[in-house]
Amino acid sequence: QVHMVESGGGSVQAGGSLRLSCSVSGDIYERIYVGWFRQAPDEEREGVAAIYTPGGATYYNDSVKGRFTISRDPVKARLTVSQDDAKDTLYLLMDDLKPEDTAMYFCAAGRLMTPVQPLVPGRYQTWGQGTQVTVST
Protein backbone atom coordinates (compact mmCIF):
# COMPACT_ATOMS: atom_id res chain seq x y z
CA GLN A 1 0.00 0.00 0.00
CA VAL A 2 1.20 3.52 -0.82
CA HIS A 3 0.17 6.79 0.77
CA MET A 4 0.39 10.09 -1.09
CA VAL A 5 -0.47 13.60 0.10
CA GLU A 6 -0.12 16.66 -2.14
CA SER A 7 0.43 20.27 -1.11
CA GLY A 8 1.51 23.56 -2.67
CA GLY A 9 -1.33 24.46 -4.99
CA GLY A 10 -2.76 27.96 -5.19
CA SER A 11 -3.53 30.91 -7.42
CA VAL A 12 -0.94 32.74 -9.46
CA GLN A 13 -0.83 35.17 -12.35
CA ALA A 14 0.30 34.09 -15.78
CA GLY A 15 4.08 33.95 -15.97
CA GLY A 16 4.39 33.10 -12.30
CA SER A 17 5.68 29.96 -10.59
CA LEU A 18 4.45 27.38 -8.11
CA ARG A 19 6.00 24.28 -6.58
CA LEU A 20 3.85 21.29 -5.77
CA SER A 21 4.95 18.68 -3.23
CA CYS A 22 3.77 15.14 -2.67
CA SER A 23 4.71 13.13 0.39
CA VAL A 24 5.04 9.46 -0.62
CA SER A 25 5.41 6.42 1.62
CA GLY A 26 4.66 2.71 1.53
CA ASP A 27 5.57 -0.36 -0.49
CA ILE A 28 8.43 0.59 -2.82
CA TYR A 29 7.30 -1.99 -5.41
CA GLU A 30 4.01 -0.11 -5.70
CA ARG A 31 5.80 3.15 -6.59
CA ILE A 32 8.29 2.21 -9.28
CA TYR A 33 6.86 5.12 -11.29
CA VAL A 34 5.69 8.30 -9.59
CA GLY A 35 4.19 11.19 -11.46
CA TRP A 36 2.01 14.27 -11.66
CA PHE A 37 -1.27 14.40 -13.49
CA ARG A 38 -3.87 17.12 -13.94
CA GLN A 39 -7.52 17.40 -14.75
CA ALA A 40 -9.37 20.54 -15.78
CA PRO A 41 -13.17 20.78 -15.56
CA ASP A 42 -14.87 18.76 -18.31
CA GLU A 43 -11.49 17.45 -19.47
CA GLU A 44 -9.88 14.04 -19.19
CA ARG A 45 -7.05 13.53 -16.74
CA GLU A 46 -3.67 13.88 -18.45
CA GLY A 47 -0.10 13.07 -17.55
CA VAL A 48 2.14 16.04 -16.82
CA ALA A 49 5.47 14.51 -15.73
CA ALA A 50 6.75 11.26 -14.28
CA ILE A 51 9.90 9.63 -12.86
CA TYR A 52 11.13 6.05 -13.03
CA THR A 53 12.39 5.86 -9.44
CA PRO A 54 15.07 3.14 -9.77
CA GLY A 55 16.96 4.92 -12.53
CA GLY A 56 15.71 8.49 -12.34
CA ALA A 57 14.53 8.79 -15.95
CA THR A 58 11.98 11.58 -16.38
CA TYR A 59 9.09 11.99 -18.78
CA TYR A 60 7.18 15.16 -19.69
CA ASN A 61 4.04 16.11 -21.56
CA ASP A 62 5.05 18.18 -24.58
CA SER A 63 2.89 21.07 -23.34
CA VAL A 64 5.04 21.55 -20.22
CA LYS A 65 8.52 20.76 -21.50
CA GLY A 66 10.94 23.55 -20.65
CA ARG A 67 8.54 25.04 -18.09
CA PHE A 68 7.93 22.27 -15.53
CA THR A 69 10.51 20.19 -13.67
CA ILE A 70 9.79 16.99 -11.78
CA SER A 71 12.15 15.86 -9.03
CA ARG A 72 12.22 13.79 -5.87
CA ASP A 73 13.98 13.87 -2.53
CA PRO A 74 14.13 10.34 -1.16
CA VAL A 75 14.98 9.86 2.51
CA LYS A 76 16.61 6.54 3.31
CA ALA A 77 14.99 4.59 6.10
CA ARG A 78 16.99 3.82 9.21
CA LEU A 79 18.60 0.38 9.18
CA THR A 80 16.13 -0.81 11.78
CA VAL A 81 13.12 0.11 9.65
CA SER A 82 11.94 -1.88 6.62
CA GLN A 83 12.31 -0.48 3.14
CA ASP A 84 8.56 -0.14 2.96
CA ASP A 85 8.81 2.75 5.39
CA ALA A 86 11.25 4.67 3.25
CA LYS A 87 9.74 8.06 2.61
CA ASP A 88 9.99 10.14 -0.49
CA THR A 89 8.92 13.60 -1.52
CA LEU A 90 7.94 14.24 -5.11
CA TYR A 91 8.09 17.81 -6.44
CA LEU A 92 6.76 19.60 -9.48
CA LEU A 93 8.30 23.02 -10.08
CA MET A 94 6.09 24.94 -12.48
CA ASP A 95 7.53 28.06 -14.13
CA ASP A 96 6.05 30.41 -16.72
CA LEU A 97 2.54 29.26 -15.83
CA LYS A 98 -0.23 29.81 -18.35
CA PRO A 99 -4.01 30.00 -17.90
CA GLU A 100 -4.30 26.64 -19.69
CA ASP A 101 -2.30 25.06 -16.83
CA THR A 102 -5.30 25.66 -14.54
CA ALA A 103 -6.44 22.29 -13.21
CA MET A 104 -6.55 19.97 -10.23
CA TYR A 105 -3.12 18.38 -9.93
CA PHE A 106 -2.65 14.85 -8.59
CA CYS A 107 0.41 12.83 -7.71
CA ALA A 108 0.26 9.12 -8.42
CA ALA A 109 2.29 5.95 -7.98
CA GLY A 110 2.48 2.91 -10.22
CA ARG A 111 4.11 -0.49 -10.39
CA LEU A 112 6.57 -1.66 -13.00
CA MET A 113 4.70 -1.34 -16.27
CA THR A 114 4.87 -3.11 -19.64
CA PRO A 115 4.66 -1.42 -22.05
CA VAL A 116 6.20 1.64 -20.44
CA GLN A 117 3.54 4.37 -20.48
CA PRO A 118 4.47 6.70 -17.64
CA LEU A 119 2.11 9.51 -18.69
CA VAL A 120 -0.99 7.35 -19.02
CA PRO A 121 -3.23 7.75 -15.95
CA GLY A 122 -4.62 4.23 -16.26
CA ARG A 123 -1.17 2.77 -15.60
CA TYR A 124 -1.14 4.09 -12.01
CA GLN A 125 -2.74 2.40 -9.01
CA THR A 126 -2.47 4.94 -6.17
CA TRP A 127 -3.56 8.56 -6.22
CA GLY A 128 -3.36 11.54 -3.92
CA GLN A 129 -6.38 13.71 -3.15
CA GLY A 130 -5.32 16.52 -5.49
CA THR A 131 -4.38 20.17 -5.14
CA GLN A 132 -5.87 23.02 -7.17
CA VAL A 133 -3.72 25.26 -9.38
CA THR A 134 -5.35 28.36 -10.84
CA VAL A 135 -3.53 30.65 -13.28
CA SER A 136 -5.11 34.01 -14.09
CA THR A 137 -4.37 36.43 -16.90
Side-chain angles (χ1 to χ4, degrees), residues 57-80:
T58 57
Y59 308 85
Y60 290 94
N61 187 306
D62 286 344
S63 67
V64 306
K65 281 181 180 176
R67 300 188 298 122
F68 290 13
T69 305
I70 189 171
S71 63
R72 47 190 290 263
D73 180 20
V75 176
K76 290 184 177 179
R78 293 175 293 138
L79 291 178
T80 57

PDB file of all heavy atoms in Angstrom, residues 57-80:
ATOM      1  N   ALA A  57      14.969   8.248 -14.655  1.00  0.00           N
ATOM      2  CA  ALA A  57      14.530   8.789 -15.945  1.00  0.00           C
ATOM      3  C   ALA A  57      13.252   9.599 -15.759  1.00  0.00           C
ATOM      4  O   ALA A  57      12.386   9.230 -14.971  1.00  0.00           O
ATOM      5  CB  ALA A  57      14.287   7.655 -16.930  1.00  0.00           C
ATOM      6  N   THR A  58      13.156  10.702 -16.479  1.00  0.00           N
ATOM      7  CA  THR A  58      11.984  11.577 -16.376  1.00  0.00           C
ATOM      8  C   THR A  58      11.250  11.640 -17.711  1.00  0.00           C
ATOM      9  O   THR A  58      11.842  11.460 -18.781  1.00  0.00           O
ATOM     10  CB  THR A  58      12.382  12.989 -15.933  1.00  0.00           C
ATOM     11  OG1 THR A  58      13.350  13.512 -16.858  1.00  0.00           O
ATOM     12  CG2 THR A  58      12.977  12.984 -14.537  1.00  0.00           C
ATOM     13  N   TYR A  59       9.961  11.935 -17.616  1.00  0.00           N
ATOM     14  CA  TYR A  59       9.094  11.990 -18.775  1.00  0.00           C
ATOM     15  C   TYR A  59       8.210  13.222 -18.634  1.00  0.00           C
ATOM     16  O   TYR A  59       7.730  13.521 -17.540  1.00  0.00           O
ATOM     17  CB  TYR A  59       8.206  10.740 -18.842  1.00  0.00           C
ATOM     18  CG  TYR A  59       8.974   9.449 -18.752  1.00  0.00           C
ATOM     19  CD1 TYR A  59       9.314   8.906 -17.510  1.00  0.00           C
ATOM     20  CD2 TYR A  59       9.375   8.765 -19.893  1.00  0.00           C
ATOM     21  CE1 TYR A  59      10.028   7.726 -17.419  1.00  0.00           C
ATOM     22  CE2 TYR A  59      10.079   7.577 -19.808  1.00  0.00           C
ATOM     23  CZ  TYR A  59      10.408   7.064 -18.564  1.00  0.00           C
ATOM     24  OH  TYR A  59      11.119   5.899 -18.472  1.00  0.00           O
ATOM     25  N   TYR A  60       7.975  13.938 -19.746  1.00  0.00           N
ATOM     26  CA  TYR A  60       7.178  15.159 -19.695  1.00  0.00           C
ATOM     27  C   TYR A  60       6.164  15.192 -20.828  1.00  0.00           C
ATOM     28  O   TYR A  60       6.443  14.772 -21.953  1.00  0.00           O
ATOM     29  CB  TYR A  60       8.076  16.390 -19.823  1.00  0.00           C
ATOM     30  CG  TYR A  60       8.946  16.649 -18.618  1.00  0.00           C
ATOM     31  CD1 TYR A  60      10.250  16.166 -18.569  1.00  0.00           C
ATOM     32  CD2 TYR A  60       8.460  17.367 -17.532  1.00  0.00           C
ATOM     33  CE1 TYR A  60      11.056  16.399 -17.467  1.00  0.00           C
ATOM     34  CE2 TYR A  60       9.254  17.607 -16.421  1.00  0.00           C
ATOM     35  CZ  TYR A  60      10.546  17.116 -16.400  1.00  0.00           C
ATOM     36  OH  TYR A  60      11.337  17.337 -15.299  1.00  0.00           O
ATOM     37  N   ASN A  61       5.012  15.758 -20.536  1.00  0.00           N
ATOM     38  CA  ASN A  61       4.035  16.110 -21.557  1.00  0.00           C
ATOM     39  C   ASN A  61       4.647  17.231 -22.397  1.00  0.00           C
ATOM     40  O   ASN A  61       5.276  18.141 -21.853  1.00  0.00           O
ATOM     41  CB  ASN A  61       2.745  16.564 -20.873  1.00  0.00           C
ATOM     42  CG  ASN A  61       1.609  16.795 -21.831  1.00  0.00           C
ATOM     43  OD1 ASN A  61       1.734  17.550 -22.792  1.00  0.00           O
ATOM     44  ND2 ASN A  61       0.479  16.158 -21.568  1.00  0.00           N
ATOM     45  N   ASP A  62       4.461  17.166 -23.699  1.00  0.00           N
ATOM     46  CA  ASP A  62       5.052  18.184 -24.581  1.00  0.00           C
ATOM     47  C   ASP A  62       4.620  19.598 -24.185  1.00  0.00           C
ATOM     48  O   ASP A  62       5.371  20.556 -24.360  1.00  0.00           O
ATOM     49  CB  ASP A  62       4.658  17.917 -26.033  1.00  0.00           C
ATOM     50  CG  ASP A  62       5.406  16.738 -26.625  1.00  0.00           C
ATOM     51  OD1 ASP A  62       6.423  16.315 -26.042  1.00  0.00           O
ATOM     52  OD2 ASP A  62       4.963  16.235 -27.676  1.00  0.00           O
ATOM     53  N   SER A  63       3.415  19.739 -23.652  1.00  0.00           N
ATOM     54  CA  SER A  63       2.894  21.071 -23.339  1.00  0.00           C
ATOM     55  C   SER A  63       3.607  21.737 -22.164  1.00  0.00           C
ATOM     56  O   SER A  63       3.462  22.947 -21.969  1.00  0.00           O
ATOM     57  CB  SER A  63       1.394  20.982 -23.031  1.00  0.00           C
ATOM     58  OG  SER A  63       1.174  20.260 -21.830  1.00  0.00           O
ATOM     59  N   VAL A  64       4.367  20.965 -21.382  1.00  0.00           N
ATOM     60  CA  VAL A  64       5.042  21.546 -20.217  1.00  0.00           C
ATOM     61  C   VAL A  64       6.555  21.473 -20.304  1.00  0.00           C
ATOM     62  O   VAL A  64       7.251  21.985 -19.418  1.00  0.00           O
ATOM     63  CB  VAL A  64       4.568  20.875 -18.903  1.00  0.00           C
ATOM     64  CG1 VAL A  64       3.047  20.929 -18.784  1.00  0.00           C
ATOM     65  CG2 VAL A  64       5.086  19.452 -18.794  1.00  0.00           C
ATOM     66  N   LYS A  65       7.071  20.866 -21.367  1.00  0.00           N
ATOM     67  CA  LYS A  65       8.524  20.756 -21.504  1.00  0.00           C
ATOM     68  C   LYS A  65       9.172  22.140 -21.512  1.00  0.00           C
ATOM     69  O   LYS A  65       8.698  23.050 -22.194  1.00  0.00           O
ATOM     70  CB  LYS A  65       8.875  20.008 -22.792  1.00  0.00           C
ATOM     71  CG  LYS A  65       8.726  18.510 -22.684  1.00  0.00           C
ATOM     72  CD  LYS A  65       9.114  17.820 -23.986  1.00  0.00           C
ATOM     73  CE  LYS A  65       8.948  16.316 -23.870  1.00  0.00           C
ATOM     74  NZ  LYS A  65       9.238  15.628 -25.160  1.00  0.00           N
ATOM     75  N   GLY A  66      10.236  22.276 -20.737  1.00  0.00           N
ATOM     76  CA  GLY A  66      10.936  23.553 -20.654  1.00  0.00           C
ATOM     77  C   GLY A  66      10.348  24.504 -19.623  1.00  0.00           C
ATOM     78  O   GLY A  66      10.964  25.527 -19.304  1.00  0.00           O
ATOM     79  N   ARG A  67       9.165  24.178 -19.097  1.00  0.00           N
ATOM     80  CA  ARG A  67       8.538  25.042 -18.093  1.00  0.00           C
ATOM     81  C   ARG A  67       8.394  24.336 -16.743  1.00  0.00           C
ATOM     82  O   ARG A  67       8.506  24.982 -15.702  1.00  0.00           O
ATOM     83  CB  ARG A  67       7.151  25.490 -18.565  1.00  0.00           C
ATOM     84  CG  ARG A  67       7.148  26.266 -19.852  1.00  0.00           C
ATOM     85  CD  ARG A  67       5.767  26.854 -20.149  1.00  0.00           C
ATOM     86  NE  ARG A  67       4.749  25.834 -20.314  1.00  0.00           N
ATOM     87  CZ  ARG A  67       3.642  25.758 -19.572  1.00  0.00           C
ATOM     88  NH1 ARG A  67       3.418  26.633 -18.599  1.00  0.00           N
ATOM     89  NH2 ARG A  67       2.758  24.805 -19.807  1.00  0.00           N
ATOM     90  N   PHE A  68       8.135  23.032 -16.752  1.00  0.00           N
ATOM     91  CA  PHE A  68       7.928  22.266 -15.534  1.00  0.00           C
ATOM     92  C   PHE A  68       9.114  21.337 -15.311  1.00  0.00           C
ATOM     93  O   PHE A  68       9.705  20.826 -16.265  1.00  0.00           O
ATOM     94  CB  PHE A  68       6.666  21.405 -15.632  1.00  0.00           C
ATOM     95  CG  PHE A  68       5.366  22.175 -15.610  1.00  0.00           C
ATOM     96  CD1 PHE A  68       5.315  23.553 -15.767  1.00  0.00           C
ATOM     97  CD2 PHE A  68       4.163  21.488 -15.436  1.00  0.00           C
ATOM     98  CE1 PHE A  68       4.121  24.240 -15.754  1.00  0.00           C
ATOM     99  CE2 PHE A  68       2.957  22.168 -15.418  1.00  0.00           C
ATOM    100  CZ  PHE A  68       2.937  23.541 -15.582  1.00  0.00           C
ATOM    101  N   THR A  69       9.428  21.101 -14.038  1.00  0.00           N
ATOM    102  CA  THR A  69      10.511  20.186 -13.672  1.00  0.00           C
ATOM    103  C   THR A  69      10.029  19.263 -12.558  1.00  0.00           C
ATOM    104  O   THR A  69       9.575  19.733 -11.507  1.00  0.00           O
ATOM    105  CB  THR A  69      11.751  20.943 -13.189  1.00  0.00           C
ATOM    106  OG1 THR A  69      12.161  21.882 -14.187  1.00  0.00           O
ATOM    107  CG2 THR A  69      12.900  19.976 -12.907  1.00  0.00           C
ATOM    108  N   ILE A  70      10.145  17.959 -12.802  1.00  0.00           N
ATOM    109  CA  ILE A  70       9.786  16.986 -11.776  1.00  0.00           C
ATOM    110  C   ILE A  70      11.061  16.518 -11.077  1.00  0.00           C
ATOM    111  O   ILE A  70      12.105  16.349 -11.723  1.00  0.00           O
ATOM    112  CB  ILE A  70       9.012  15.788 -12.380  1.00  0.00           C
ATOM    113  CG1 ILE A  70       8.466  14.893 -11.277  1.00  0.00           C
ATOM    114  CG2 ILE A  70       9.873  15.006 -13.359  1.00  0.00           C
ATOM    115  CD1 ILE A  70       7.500  13.817 -11.792  1.00  0.00           C
ATOM    116  N   SER A  71      10.993  16.338  -9.777  1.00  0.00           N
ATOM    117  CA  SER A  71      12.153  15.861  -9.029  1.00  0.00           C
ATOM    118  C   SER A  71      11.657  15.154  -7.772  1.00  0.00           C
ATOM    119  O   SER A  71      10.476  15.224  -7.424  1.00  0.00           O
ATOM    120  CB  SER A  71      13.089  17.019  -8.651  1.00  0.00           C
ATOM    121  OG  SER A  71      12.440  17.939  -7.799  1.00  0.00           O
ATOM    122  N   ARG A  72      12.579  14.462  -7.104  1.00  0.00           N
ATOM    123  CA  ARG A  72      12.223  13.793  -5.866  1.00  0.00           C
ATOM    124  C   ARG A  72      13.360  13.898  -4.880  1.00  0.00           C
ATOM    125  O   ARG A  72      14.513  14.102  -5.251  1.00  0.00           O
ATOM    126  CB  ARG A  72      11.830  12.330  -6.095  1.00  0.00           C
ATOM    127  CG  ARG A  72      12.750  11.546  -6.971  1.00  0.00           C
ATOM    128  CD  ARG A  72      12.153  10.204  -7.328  1.00  0.00           C
ATOM    129  NE  ARG A  72      12.108   9.310  -6.193  1.00  0.00           N
ATOM    130  CZ  ARG A  72      13.045   8.384  -5.953  1.00  0.00           C
ATOM    131  NH1 ARG A  72      14.062   8.253  -6.777  1.00  0.00           N
ATOM    132  NH2 ARG A  72      12.949   7.599  -4.916  1.00  0.00           N
ATOM    133  N   ASP A  73      13.014  13.745  -3.613  1.00  0.00           N
ATOM    134  CA  ASP A  73      13.977  13.872  -2.534  1.00  0.00           C
ATOM    135  C   ASP A  73      13.774  12.683  -1.605  1.00  0.00           C
ATOM    136  O   ASP A  73      13.105  12.779  -0.571  1.00  0.00           O
ATOM    137  CB  ASP A  73      13.744  15.179  -1.779  1.00  0.00           C
ATOM    138  CG  ASP A  73      14.727  15.360  -0.628  1.00  0.00           C
ATOM    139  OD1 ASP A  73      15.781  14.698  -0.653  1.00  0.00           O
ATOM    140  OD2 ASP A  73      14.428  16.145   0.280  1.00  0.00           O
ATOM    141  N   PRO A  74      14.349  11.523  -1.980  1.00  0.00           N
ATOM    142  CA  PRO A  74      14.131  10.341  -1.155  1.00  0.00           C
ATOM    143  C   PRO A  74      14.927  10.398   0.140  1.00  0.00           C
ATOM    144  O   PRO A  74      16.045  10.882   0.176  1.00  0.00           O
ATOM    145  CB  PRO A  74      14.630   9.196  -2.046  1.00  0.00           C
ATOM    146  CG  PRO A  74      15.650   9.835  -2.934  1.00  0.00           C
ATOM    147  CD  PRO A  74      15.174  11.242  -3.159  1.00  0.00           C
ATOM    148  N   VAL A  75      14.325   9.933   1.203  1.00  0.00           N
ATOM    149  CA  VAL A  75      14.977   9.865   2.507  1.00  0.00           C
ATOM    150  C   VAL A  75      15.144   8.394   2.852  1.00  0.00           C
ATOM    151  O   VAL A  75      14.182   7.665   2.933  1.00  0.00           O
ATOM    152  CB  VAL A  75      14.124  10.564   3.581  1.00  0.00           C
ATOM    153  CG1 VAL A  75      14.773  10.404   4.946  1.00  0.00           C
ATOM    154  CG2 VAL A  75      13.954  12.022   3.234  1.00  0.00           C
ATOM    155  N   LYS A  76      16.374   7.955   3.034  1.00  0.00           N
ATOM    156  CA  LYS A  76      16.609   6.535   3.308  1.00  0.00           C
ATOM    157  C   LYS A  76      16.112   6.179   4.695  1.00  0.00           C
ATOM    158  O   LYS A  76      16.282   6.924   5.642  1.00  0.00           O
ATOM    159  CB  LYS A  76      18.094   6.217   3.181  1.00  0.00           C
ATOM    160  CG  LYS A  76      18.612   6.275   1.760  1.00  0.00           C
ATOM    161  CD  LYS A  76      20.062   5.850   1.694  1.00  0.00           C
ATOM    162  CE  LYS A  76      20.555   5.851   0.258  1.00  0.00           C
ATOM    163  NZ  LYS A  76      21.982   5.459   0.184  1.00  0.00           N
ATOM    164  N   ALA A  77      15.476   5.043   4.812  1.00  0.00           N
ATOM    165  CA  ALA A  77      14.995   4.592   6.099  1.00  0.00           C
ATOM    166  C   ALA A  77      16.178   4.222   6.990  1.00  0.00           C
ATOM    167  O   ALA A  77      17.238   3.870   6.515  1.00  0.00           O
ATOM    168  CB  ALA A  77      14.078   3.394   5.919  1.00  0.00           C
ATOM    169  N   ARG A  78      15.977   4.310   8.278  1.00  0.00           N
ATOM    170  CA  ARG A  78      16.991   3.821   9.207  1.00  0.00           C
ATOM    171  C   ARG A  78      17.145   2.325   9.030  1.00  0.00           C
ATOM    172  O   ARG A  78      16.240   1.651   8.583  1.00  0.00           O
ATOM    173  CB  ARG A  78      16.572   4.138  10.634  1.00  0.00           C
ATOM    174  CG  ARG A  78      16.567   5.637  10.943  1.00  0.00           C
ATOM    175  CD  ARG A  78      16.030   5.883  12.325  1.00  0.00           C
ATOM    176  NE  ARG A  78      14.628   5.529  12.403  1.00  0.00           N
ATOM    177  CZ  ARG A  78      14.096   4.884  13.420  1.00  0.00           C
ATOM    178  NH1 ARG A  78      14.842   4.495  14.418  1.00  0.00           N
ATOM    179  NH2 ARG A  78      12.800   4.612  13.440  1.00  0.00           N
ATOM    180  N   LEU A  79      18.316   1.803   9.384  1.00  0.00           N
ATOM    181  CA  LEU A  79      18.596   0.382   9.176  1.00  0.00           C
ATOM    182  C   LEU A  79      17.613  -0.502   9.916  1.00  0.00           C
ATOM    183  O   LEU A  79      17.373  -1.638   9.542  1.00  0.00           O
ATOM    184  CB  LEU A  79      20.027   0.069   9.608  1.00  0.00           C
ATOM    185  CG  LEU A  79      21.127   0.662   8.723  1.00  0.00           C
ATOM    186  CD1 LEU A  79      22.490   0.326   9.288  1.00  0.00           C
ATOM    187  CD2 LEU A  79      20.994   0.160   7.299  1.00  0.00           C
ATOM    188  N   THR A  80      17.036   0.007  11.001  1.00  0.00           N
ATOM    189  CA  THR A  80      16.129  -0.811  11.784  1.00  0.00           C
ATOM    190  C   THR A  80      14.715  -0.804  11.245  1.00  0.00           C
ATOM    191  O   THR A  80      13.850  -1.485  11.758  1.00  0.00           O
ATOM    192  CB  THR A  80      16.102  -0.336  13.244  1.00  0.00           C
ATOM    193  OG1 THR A  80      15.734   1.038  13.253  1.00  0.00           O
ATOM    194  CG2 THR A  80      17.467  -0.502  13.882  1.00  0.00           C
TER     195      THR A  80
END
